Amino acid sequence: MATEPTVKPTDPLTATPATLDPAQVDPAAPPATGPWKLAWRRLRRNKVALAFGVLFVLLILSALAAPLWAEHVANTTPDRNRLADQIIVDGKPRDIVSVRGIPMGPTWRGEYFLGADENGRDVMVRLLYGARNSVFIGLTAALITTVLAVLLGLLAGYFRGWIDALISRGLDVLWAFPVLLLGIALGVSLATEGLSIGPITVAGNSLWIPTLIIGFVGIVYLARPVRGQVLGLREKEFIEVARAQGMSDWRIMTRELLPNLFSTILVFFPLIMANAILLEAALSFLGAGVQAPSPSWGTMIDTGLDRLRGAPHLTIAPGVMLIMTVLSLNIFGEGVRDALDPRAKVRLEH
Amino acid sequence: MARFIVRRLIGMAIVMLVVSFLTFLIFFKIPGGDPADRLAGKYATPGQVAAVEREWGFDKPFWIQYGNMMEKTFTGDLISYTRQDKVVERIIDGAPRTFSLAIGAALIWLVLGVALGLFSALRAGALSDRFLTVLALIGISMPVFWLGALANYYLGYKAGLFPDGGYVPISEGGLWEWFKHMILPWSVLATLFVGVYSRVLRNQVLDTINDDYVRTARAKGISERRVMGRHVLRNSMIPIVTLWGLDFGYVLGGGAILTETVFDLQGVGDYFAESIGALDVPPVMAVVLFGAFFIVLLNGIVDIVYAALDPRIRLS
């Protein structure tokens, strides 16, 4: 697979679109191919990245279909406990949770497809509902990160001077913060108290608390590259022209600079989301994220670990889901990066 | 150069001050229960609670409380709300454990990352290169607590190949015991980083391999081995060393907390997890400052080393 073309300076892939453009050689040739179209072509050639992109879409669809599976296939809800019941598997009755407290393993049938948990709940159903929480938090947190980071990066890079100084020093402080510790501390204390700032009140078990924490913590990784890029762009002729035309600062930022940042944003977004999902799992694992009884892969792993002996499926199933989701985002993100800018170097912290 | 270092040191001190202030502000605003209530005990009368409030200074204004806490942190007199023991002593107890984990893991991921990255670059496009790329991405996508818990259970508890969790100081069990207990935590923590390093190095080597000075070196008739070692690898290592400094700071600054809890190493991260569960503000404050200190320190060192290597940075 070629998630990363081995680029050499002479490689046609790395040459600027202008030199690839046949129109420059021959005026009668077909019209020029835009950079977006070229990127799409490169992405389409990258079968592995596409395959993992499709896998990610399937994971999202299955999360969306969680109620369908729960209602029509598994005949249960994510929170329904069945401690003392039995079900019939292959004509034989089986305890959902044994007398010694060991939950049933996978049946590979509709009901209890991936087995039961310590309360006799259906693991598959909880995994699918957990996927909703993980994907919701990951996507929303990544959106929060992106919007705030791009805004800060634009303001700092465009206005420079004291605004830049203020934002950059703020980012320095955020960079110096032990983010994982901050996230855990905030998560735990907010989960017990809830949050109320003026008229806004957020309950302690709300999904918004981990979402906001994760979204905020990621800003620094994107704001710095955006600022750097804006600092370079603002010296270009087209910005000078826009200024000479009397465009307002806001208009220059949104209409002229922002479109030029899209490829950077597109490259970072899947990676930010992958990290957000991992961070959510870590916070939930430590009791600082999604709160019980809401299912989340992190909390499922946490409770599963006490029962590794006898019921390893409780730990392995959510872990595999988590890895598949994050891996598909990472590989697809790599593909997007290679397609948009084969020579870019992108890296995110864990 | 001296001016650059002084400027950088002042900047670091200011950042630390702001971090400490913000941390205190966060926990002043989000107390999670009144600490005086908890200190006075379950069946305390309002009078007793008020006495505790006076004694611990909870009735003082915000600034005074912040000042007191910072002063106590530096004199080592900071007392935990729940266990009422000295916070700084607990951190000093935990630090060797956290350092053992961080230093060992960082060495493993650096050496392995460079070796695999170089191997990948030399075989760019070949099957082994692609295989390593996939492995690297899987490593990056691993939840460390999951990997650690499974490794601890299956390799440690079940197979008995390693001790299942815990930390043995060298002074108590000797070097071998200490080493044996650290192998799994080191490997698990390093898994997260090896992939990143090998890929950064691989791309860097592929970038420099076609540079003019490499061609010149080859044209001079230097052996291929020397060209790779002296010219390509040495230059490709610059971003790796930078990354290594930053990641090492990140791991010391709380990035290893999940590995510590899963393997029950009882380090600084474990202390933090235990304290936050009880909403015990002084240890939480102190560990955040401990973490921020190492992040800021390592960032500063990386900047200074960079400036020493590249005069252009000093002047900007």
Side-chain angles (χ1 to χ4, degrees), chain B residues 195-264:
Chain B
V196 179
Y197 282 66
S198 69
R199 289 163 54 68
V200 170
L201 188 78
R202 172 191 181 277
N203 295 348
Q204 200 66 32
V205 167
L206 289 177
D207 272 357
T208 36
I209 216 161
N210 292 301
D211 276 353
D212 289 342
Y213 69 90
V214 177
R215 201 180 313 150
T216 312
R218 284 216 177 98
K220 281 196 301 187
I222 297 175
S223 73
E224 188 61 26
R225 204 188 169 82
R226 215 177 145 93
V227 170
M228 285 308 290
R230 279 282 174 91
H231 296 268
V232 177
L233 189 60
R234 194 176 271 189
N235 278 287
S236 310
M237 281 300 281
I238 295 171
I240 292 282
V241 171
T242 315
L243 264 185
W244 193 73
L246 300 181
D247 282 337
F248 188 56
Y250 166 81
V251 167
L252 276 179
I257 183 172
L258 292 160
T259 320
E260 274 186 32
T261 42
V262 163
F263 287 102
D264 192 28

Side-chain angles (χ1 to χ4, degrees), chain B residues 138-297:
Chain B
I138 293 178
I140 295 168
S141 311
M142 272 291 168
V144 63
F145 54 94
W146 184 81
L147 184 66
L150 288 188
N152 195 29
Y153 178 76
Y154 285 107
L155 300 178
Y157 176 78
K158 262 199 148 167
L161 295 173
F162 302 96
D164 79 87
Y167 176 84
V168 178
I170 299 179
S171 57
E172 282 171 29
L175 201 63
W176 176 237
E177 275 301 310
W178 169 80
F179 184 75
K180 237 170 48 184
H181 280 82
M182 294 309 295
I183 297 175
L184 273 189
W186 284 339
S187 319
V188 166
L189 185 56
T191 308
L192 299 184
F193 295 91
V194 169
V196 179
Y197 282 66
S198 69
R199 289 163 54 68
V200 170
L201 188 78
R202 172 191 181 277
N203 295 348
Q204 200 66 32
V205 167
L206 289 177
D207 272 357
T208 36
I209 216 161
N210 292 301
D211 276 353
D212 289 342
Y213 69 90
V214 177
R215 201 180 313 150
T216 312
R218 284 216 177 98
K220 281 196 301 187
I222 297 175
S223 73
E224 188 61 26
R225 204 188 169 82
R226 215 177 145 93
V227 170
M228 285 308 290
R230 279 282 174 91
H231 296 268
V232 177
L233 189 60
R234 194 176 271 189
N235 278 287
S236 310
M237 281 300 281
I238 295 171
I240 292 282
V241 171
T242 315
L243 264 185
W244 193 73
L246 300 181
D247 282 337
F248 188 56
Y250 166 81
V251 167
L252 276 179
I257 183 172
L258 292 160
T259 320
E260 274 186 32
T261 42
V262 163
F263 287 102
D264 192 28
L265 295 177
Q266 305 281 326
V268 179
D270 259 340
Y271 182 42
F272 179 86
E274 175 197 318
S275 308
I276 188 67
L279 292 173
D280 196 349
V281 177
V284 168
M285 272 286 294
V287 178
V288 168
L289 287 184
F290 173 89
F293 175 75
F294 285 105
I295 295 175
V296 170
L297 182 71

Side-chain angles (χ1 to χ4, degrees), chain B residues 88-99:
Chain B
V88 178
E89 278 175 15
R90 286 288 307 269
I91 291 182
I92 292 172
D93 277 352
R97 298 152 183 263
T98 303
F99 273 99

